[in-house]
Amino acid sequence: MGKEKVQFLLKTPKGTRDWEGKDVVIRDRIFSTITSVFNRHGAVTIDTPVFELKDILSGKYGEDSKLIYDLVDQGGELCSLRYDLTVPFARWLAMNPSVQSIKRYHLAKVYRRDQPAMKKGRLREFHQCDFDIAGKYDPMLPDAEILRILCEVFQALGWEGRYTIKINHRGILDGIFEVCGVPEDKIRTISSAVDKLDKVPWEKVRKEMTEEKGLEGEIADRIWTYVQKKGGREILEELRADEKLKDSKSMVKGMDDMDLLFTYLDAFQVLDKTEFNLSLARGLDYYTGLIYEVITEGSVPASMSGQDIKPKRTAKKDNGINLEEDSSDDPSVGVGSVAAGGRYDDLVGMFSGKSQIPCVGVSLGVDRIFSITKARMEADKAAAAVRSTEVDVYVMAFGGKGFTGLLKERLEVCRILWDAGIKAEFAYKQKPKLPAQFKSAEANEVPFAVILGDDEQARGEVRVKELGLEAGHAEKDGVLVPLTDLVPEVRRRIARRLDGKGEEVGDGKERREEGDSVEAVRIGVDGLGKAEEEPTKT
């Protein structure tokens, strides 16, 4: 008997996606923008394994520890996929005691067994881009630079005026819990409940505190009088004026830190980008001081009514994304924060058992940034079109009866352009038809064509044509250029286009409509001969 044919279920695992086409271009631009800012601030990069020993990750993430992916025990070490890039960095510092100070960044994938909302950038496999400063320095100086870096990143991404950095201090929050009467063994769990105030109404948070976590209702109500406060330096002054808070050492330390921070942020001219928000808690257990997160439109769920909302489930595909059992259309699910972090002074010591190395850092959620950036681009009709490749020149050949394809000559022209660092491509056919060559250039939205013809070759010339020009334009049919001048001519045209001084190239859809066809090249061009095939006008 023959082998039984295997049937495959062709889908990506839940919460994952394939990246292709223009999505990759947009994502890579985000990567480049972020890392260029990190490099500006003197960071080096390190890389760590995608999985860690299970014990390294255990007990570091509070209630979110249940989201860690544990790997199957195969008779060796018990391992888990990394949940973030912070704990592996702390483990690396503990393993390298000679490194007592470092600015580092790390761009890599992390994994969380969470309910995905693919269209909102909430995945189970996703990219984080971290920047951390480790070492003993004067208070709040590294912290202030981290917030300055965040502002530079989002300004470079074009988000000016469309984001807010929420800031708080674990010492202040712990001081509030202490003064309000929260038992010490409940502080972390109550902190996790408070952190949900940007997702669900206070009534639900209070219910979780009292019914699920056993906190007295009176204590919960006292907490609410504080955690609903948000603003700027005036919130700090309110706290300083509160007599009940002055006996809490963690509160006093937190207020002193925030006072310094406000001064430094003012010097960095980013204070107006922040909001002192006492409900910000950050659920991870390792934070010890300043905490922060970046929010924008879509971060908060569409519905905050407090009613029980039944999530909508979809079973479909959209742009290559598997949306089965997905929460993208659930109004109770928002994008969440697009960046978050804080100070974690004790984490390295948890691994080394020796002296601490204070650290502060931030993680940027690249996939969430991507989902918002792409949605904005699609909504902005004036946004520049995104090309799937960076090719600047398509090398073509054209001829009449007896046309050989000029393959060797096309290869030589491509070699000349490549040697000069110019991005170029050509058709992988010996005798390509001109309509097919234009179609290929159009598909990749290539802005320029270098067209070879028998007569031009005999004169040592090529034709340089900017694609997408309107009918009647003086250079609609291109210009003849000596082959020896091809490189400087192409460079000049690329530079002019990038500077916005030349004609704007369309988004590719109108090129055929504007007449970039065999006929358009042939009209008014001497020596090219008659086309071997008349195109169909579209």
Side-chain angles (χ1 to χ4, degrees):
M1 295 179 62
K3 291 184 178 180
E4 186 176 342
K5 190 173 182 180
V6 179
Q7 294 286 332
F8 292 98
L9 176 61
L10 295 178
K11 63 183 285 292
T12 58
K14 180 179 177 180
T16 66
R17 61 162 294 177
D18 294 316
W19 288 88
E20 50 83 25
K22 294 182 180 180
D23 284 358
V24 175
V25 176
I26 298 171
R27 187 195 66 181
D28 288 352
R29 287 180 185 174
I30 293 171
F31 287 160
S32 177
T33 300
I34 293 172
T35 55
S36 67
V37 173
F38 289 173
N39 285 316
R40 186 188 307 155
H41 286 261
V44 298
T45 186
I46 67 170
D47 196 11
T48 59
V50 73
F51 52 90
E52 296 274 349
L53 294 177
K54 183 176 180 178
D55 289 345
I56 294 292
L57 304 184
S58 298
K60 312 302 188 301
Y61 303 108
E63 294 183 356
D64 286 344
S65 293
K66 62 182 180 293
L67 303 180
I68 294 175
Y69 274 103
D70 293 328
L71 301 180
V72 174
D73 179 12
Q74 295 182 324
E77 299 170 322
L78 293 177
C79 296
S80 302
L81 294 179
R82 61 188 174 204
Y83 176 94
D84 65 7
L85 303 177
T86 305
V87 172
F89 173 56
R91 187 265 307 154
W92 180 87
L93 283 171
M95 287 179 62
N96 293 272
S98 62
V99 180
Q100 291 295 303
S101 63
I102 187 175
K103 282 184 181 179
R104 90 65 156 105
Y105 75 86
H106 189 186
L107 197 167
K109 289 182 176 180
V110 297
Y111 301 84
R112 298 182 187 177
R113 197 165 48 86
D114 205 352
Q115 174 59 39
M118 305 291 286
K119 292 181 183 178
K120 297 175 180 177
R122 301 177 69 96
L123 291 81
R124 290 184 164 187
E125 177 192 61
F126 57 97
H127 296 86
Q128 280 192 341
C129 201
D130 281 25
F131 185 102
D132 294 82
I133 302 174
K136 296 179 180 178
Y137 302 102
D138 287 346
M140 306 312 291
L141 286 170
D143 312 62
E145 184 175 4
I146 292 285
L147 296 182
R148 167 70 195 192
I149 288 168
L150 273 175
C151 292
E152 290 183 19
V153 165
F154 286 105
Q155 182 175 358
L157 289 170
W159 287 33
E160 187 66 30
R162 304 181 73 173
Y163 70 93
T164 300
I165 305 176
K166 294 165 61 176
I167 59 176
N168 198 6
H169 196 289
R170 270 286 173 86
I172 289 177
L173 200 59
D174 288 352
I176 289 172
F177 294 152
E178 177 188 340
V179 169
C180 290
V182 178
E184 188 174 348
D185 62 344
K186 291 184 182 293
I187 283 181
R188 288 282 76 89
T189 59
I190 297 303
S191 179
S192 295
V194 168
D195 198 46
K196 298 173 184 176
L197 280 170
D198 62 340
K199 307 175 187 69
V200 296
W202 164 247
E203 291 76 15
K204 283 193 172 183
V205 172
R206 186 184 189 279
K207 183 177 180 181
E208 178 181 335
M209 288 180 174
T210 56
E211 297 184 13
E212 297 179 24
K213 298 180 176 177
L215 191 69
E216 294 179 15
E218 185 179 343
I219 296 176
D221 293 336
R222 286 200 291 268
I223 292 173
W224 174 239
T225 63
Y226 288 104
V227 297
Q228 61 184 298
K229 296 180 185 293
K230 58 184 177 181
R233 193 187 283 268
E234 74 279 1
I235 301 298
L236 182 60
E237 299 309 318
E238 283 187 42
L239 296 176
R240 285 199 184 280
D242 191 329
E243 293 294 332
K244 298 187 294 294
L245 302 176
K246 292 182 178 180
D247 292 333
S248 170
K249 292 183 179 179
S250 67
M251 171 62 76
V252 173
K253 172 66 165 59
M255 290 191 293
D256 289 344
D257 282 350
M258 294 301 290
D259 199 15
L260 275 176
L261 181 69
F262 285 138
T263 299
Y264 299 152
L265 294 181
D266 188 44
F268 281 148
Q269 295 188 351
V270 296
L271 184 57
D272 61 324
K273 308 293 192 302
T274 65
E275 175 190 88
F276 188 12
N277 190 313
L278 297 185
S279 71
L280 179 64
R282 303 296 303 152
L284 304 184
D285 283 352
Y286 52 67
Y287 289 128
T288 58
L290 180 71
I291 49 178
Y292 35 82
E293 68 180 25
V294 180
I295 60 170
T296 185
E297 81 270 10
S299 291
V300 177
S303 176
M304 287 280 287
S305 64
Q307 300 175 1
D308 290 329
I309 301 171
K310 293 183 179 179
K312 298 177 182 178
R313 296 285 185 238
T314 59
K316 57 185 178 180
K317 290 186 177 181
D318 179 31
N319 196 26
I321 300 175
N322 174 31
L323 297 177
E324 186 178 2
E325 297 182 16
D326 182 80
S327 296
S328 294
D329 297 325
D330 184 348
S332 68
V333 177
V335 173
S337 61
V338 292
R343 175 160 288 279
Y344 52 103
D345 287 346
D346 301 336
L347 188 55
V348 177
M350 291 175 64
F351 297 128
S352 67
K354 300 177 182 178
S355 60
Q356 299 287 356
I357 300 179
C359 300
V360 63
V362 67
S363 296
L364 291 110
V366 175
D367 299 81
R368 296 184 184 184
I369 293 172
F370 164 83
S371 67
I372 293 173
T373 299
K374 184 179 178 182
R376 288 175 178 175
M377 293 174 67
E378 290 173 346
D380 183 3
K381 302 303 181 184
V386 177
R387 296 174 54 204
S388 56
T389 75
E390 296 183 1
V391 173
D392 290 313
V393 178
Y394 199 101
V395 178
M396 307 181 182
F398 176 85
K401 188 175 181 180
F403 175 59
T404 63
L406 299 174
L407 177 58
K408 184 172 182 293
E409 291 79 0
R410 283 186 286 135
L411 299 181
E412 289 175 347
V413 169
C414 279
R415 187 260 306 163
I416 291 170
L417 294 172
W418 291 335
D419 286 348
I422 296 171
K423 305 178 182 77
E425 63 179 359
F426 65 100
Y428 294 154
K429 291 186 74 69
Q430 197 158 26
K431 292 177 64 176
K433 296 179 180 180
L434 194 57
Q437 295 176 87
F438 272 114
K439 185 175 181 180
S440 182
E442 174 187 317
N444 291 321
E445 300 176 63
V446 180
F448 298 101
V450 172
I451 305 171
L452 284 60
D454 288 327
D455 291 348
E456 286 83 355
Q457 283 293 300
R459 299 195 301 268
E461 294 178 327
V462 294
R463 185 170 296 276
V464 178
K465 174 177 170 58
E466 182 170 351
L467 303 176
L469 298 180
E470 296 180 357
H473 191 283
E475 294 187 357
K476 178 64 179 174
D477 298 324
V479 294
L480 288 172
V481 176
L483 185 59
T484 53
D485 295 337
L486 176 61
V487 168
E489 177 66 19
V490 169
R491 281 178 172 164
R492 182 182 68 80
R493 289 175 176 271
I494 292 172
R496 186 179 70 177
R497 181 174 180 271
L498 292 176
D499 290 341
K501 296 177 182 177
E503 296 290 336
E504 289 295 329
V505 176
D507 64 4
K509 295 179 181 178
E510 66 268 341
R511 285 186 178 156
R512 302 293 292 199
E513 297 172 359
E514 296 292 353
D516 283 336
S517 58
V518 178
E519 186 69 18
V521 175
R522 185 166 61 85
I523 294 175
V525 178
D526 295 330
L528 287 181
K530 184 170 177 166
E532 58 181 333
E533 178 181 329
E534 293 294 326
T536 301
K537 291 284 187 179
T538 59

